[in-house]
């Protein structure tokens, strides 16, 4: 199962690979973009699986970005109460984030990802060649999640200071490594980008997946985050703000990673206002995000009024007992705290100031 | 969440009970019957949950029979990747079977229960008073599943000969107890039915649930049945035949339990033809089912042609590598075997002979 963007680039080769293994394959092509995360697309996949006479012992393969992986993964979770599921991520975002961790979902009428399951892929096949056809906009959207890992690294490692991450040359934590190479990281891998050799790209992907896996293994079903910021809620840094933009502007206007980039800047701004980060730390992060190409233009307040955004936040899945639950950066960088009581008035002010 | 049959009988009382606990409740009423197991009803529940601003910490309560429990359970499994779920079964079938074991599903376009999940209720509340409003037809449909438990008892207990089941007075295995009281068991509990006192009814329900739980705990996700008949596939006795009738006649023409009753008789007939049961054993079971009020009229061969039924069986979820997998009674009664290679010609003959 792939989408209309990826199908012309990679579907034939993927099916040829299956055929070379002696596997019979059929294909389903979803529309491109967030509109594929609807009940219609979910049930179209399930109906095709029925039509192809798939059993629970067959597999659905998601060839695409996070949207394809999320919808196909939910179909696989449901088909005969769980059939085979393989992720072949085609975007940086899907490689470092959505293909790992077992969260699959489509969007509800009002809340993003509100219809879903925990269903881990039986395999994730990452082929870095697929990144060569990735538009720069999609690459940068993935870099927003990479930047998030850098900003949660200490929390993700559960306070362990020195997991030997594979991103060597020299061995650095992720955030200073990103800052050091920020300019080169603004472009997708290509023959003219000497930084992103296949080996270094592999190391970057594995670093991000290792950080995500460390969190997910501590809290596979997202119950631990109710209590502290070492649970799965850590992965949500920037996402509650980001989801509010996605929902208010209409799913698909911003790429998910673009919304996360805006959300990271708002999370840092919130921490600064609450005294969780020092001025200098907040400034360093905002400048670093800009250097990484994540200094995106803010949606206008006409398109996304601050009050509407705050209402959207209050509908996020992380809401508990009517309070917006935010995970926020705290000093020193790489640490997180959970806040249940951020006043709506402050959130309105921050949306209006647009991270300034 | 309830259906149009149960709502006028019990919804107001159920909501009053919630209110007395200080719980805020809303209601959703599904259409009665198997048509509630559709994607439309599933997504109507999810949309209402969104509209009522439910979070993952709220609960969906299924007040009804197996259809309501299956659809609401799947909605609860999916809503925010799993919200609270309480079963309040209103039918005998739901009490002894579908409310226990964690299987929830809706029907796919061609295969019953092909869109589903494993999601155990956080609580099952059985109020035997609800059985007083149960039509006799629904009662007998539930008795078909009770008879199934009797016919798998030895296999369900994993070869343990003497689990102390709660059905005392005197302590008997379930099948001889059913035969002994067959006439009284044809009627739902009422003041004119001296057999089914609340205590004896509770013992009967607990016996069935204990047998189901013994199987489910050995094989929670239905992988063990690939190998032997002590796995979850044991619970499927009669169901592959029954599903074929439900699908061929259109879901809802027969009650699920009625289809299972036909399926049990065909399973026994198959075992007799294959030499798995002796003549006398097969005759005893067929006569016992009739005595229990389960000697239903067979659908005509015009409505349900034998070849169509066999094709429907080959689409059942239990199919593996293109073969129909049947679980069948074997001698002595209470034991089971799995057969992968029952010839289609024999199945056609048996459907045409209608269990004779």
């Amino acid at each position: 199962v792939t989408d209309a963007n990826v199908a012309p680039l990679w579907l034939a080769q993927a099916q040829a690979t299956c055929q070379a293994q002696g596997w019979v394959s059929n294909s389903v092509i979803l529309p491109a973009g967030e509109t594929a995360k609807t009940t219609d697309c979910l049930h179209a996949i399930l109906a095709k699986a029925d039509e192809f006479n798939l059993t629970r012992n067959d597999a659905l393969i998601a060839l695409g970005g996070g949207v394809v992986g999320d919808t196909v993964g939910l179909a696989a979770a449901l088909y005969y109460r769980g059939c085979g599921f393989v992720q072949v991520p085609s975007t940086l975002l899907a490689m470092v984030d959505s293909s790992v961790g077992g969260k699959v979902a489509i969007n509800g009428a009002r809340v993003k990802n509100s219809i879903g399951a925990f269903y881990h892929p039986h395999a994730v096949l990452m082929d870095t060649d697929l990144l060569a056809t990735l538009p720069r906009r999609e690459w940068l959207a993935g870099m927003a999640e990479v930047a998030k890992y850098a900003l949660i690294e200490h929390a993700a490692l559960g306070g362990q200071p020195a997991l030997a991450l594979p991103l060597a040359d020299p061995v650095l934590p992720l955030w200073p490594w990103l800052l050091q190479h920020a300019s080169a990281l603004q472009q997708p891998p290509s023959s003219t980008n000497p930084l992103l050799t296949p080996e270094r790209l592999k190391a970057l992907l594995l670093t991000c997946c290792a950080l995500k896996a460390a969190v997910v293994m501590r809290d596979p079903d997202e119950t631990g985050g109710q209590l502290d910021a070492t649970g799965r809620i850590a992965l949500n840094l920037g996402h509650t703000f980001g989801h509010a933009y996605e929902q208010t502007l209409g799913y698909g206007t911003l790429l998910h990673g673009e919304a996360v980039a805006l959300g990271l800047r708002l999370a840092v701004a919130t921490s600064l206002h609450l005294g969780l980060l020092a001025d200098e730390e907040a400034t360093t992060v905002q400048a670093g995000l800009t250097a990484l190409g994540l200094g995106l233009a803010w949606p206008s307040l006409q398109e996304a009024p601050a009050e509407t955004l705050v209402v959207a936040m209050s509908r996020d899945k992380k809401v508990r007992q009517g309070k917006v639950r935010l995970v926020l950066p705290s000093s020193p960088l790489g640490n997180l705290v959970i806040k249940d009581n951020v006043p709506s008035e402050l959130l309105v002010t921050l949306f209006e100031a647009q991270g300034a």
Side-chain angles (χ1 to χ4, degrees), chain A residues 109-287:
Chain A
R110 299 196 311 176
V111 183
K112 189 173 157 74
N113 291 329
S114 70
I115 302 174
F118 292 99
Y119 196 66
H120 290 274
H122 296 90
V124 180
L125 176 66
M126 294 196 200
D127 182 340
T128 52
D129 283 358
L130 271 64
L131 296 175
T133 55
L134 197 64
R136 179 165 182 265
R137 185 181 170 194
E138 293 273 358
W139 171 260
L140 288 176
M143 283 303 299
E145 294 284 0
V146 174
K148 178 197 77 177
Y149 287 116
L151 295 173
I152 71 169
E153 183 165 358
H154 195 253
L157 296 177
Q160 298 292 319
L163 184 76
L165 294 172
L167 197 64
D169 183 19
V171 176
L172 273 181
L174 189 51
W175 180 250
W177 187 87
L178 293 179
L179 291 191
Q180 187 176 315
H181 300 290
S183 169
L185 289 170
Q186 287 197 23
Q187 300 295 334
S190 75
S191 56
T192 60
N193 186 336
L195 177 72
L196 293 175
T197 60
E199 291 68 30
R200 210 174 273 120
L201 195 50
K202 183 176 165 186
L204 178 63
L205 298 174
L206 287 177
T207 297
C208 293
C209 290
L211 288 168
K212 179 154 187 178
V215 175
V216 170
M217 286 191 287
R218 269 201 306 275
D219 183 20
D221 58 358
E222 198 166 33
T223 48
Q226 305 298 333
L227 297 174
D228 69 58
T230 66
R232 197 155 179 158
I233 196 172
L235 301 170
N236 230 52
L237 179 66
H239 282 58
T240 306
F241 293 102
H243 288 166
Y245 273 112
E246 289 182 275
Q247 196 185 331
T248 301
L249 297 170
Y251 296 131
T253 306
L254 292 178
L255 295 175
H256 173 63
E258 292 173 334
V260 168
L262 298 177
L264 290 176
R265 290 164 66 185
L266 284 162
V268 169
T270 308
S271 290
L272 179 63
H273 270 76
L274 297 176
L276 299 170
L277 287 179
D279 279 8
E280 188 187 299
E281 289 172 311
T283 305
T284 299
V285 176
Q286 303 287 21

Side-chain angles (χ1 to χ4, degrees), chain A residues 45-75:
Chain A
I45 298 168
L46 292 167
K48 283 286 184 185
D50 252 359
E51 185 185 322
F52 297 148
N53 280 318
L54 300 194
T55 71
R56 67 176 66 169
N57 303 301
D58 294 310
L60 298 181
I61 302 177
L63 171 65
V67 166
V68 170
D70 274 6
T71 307
V72 176
L74 184 56

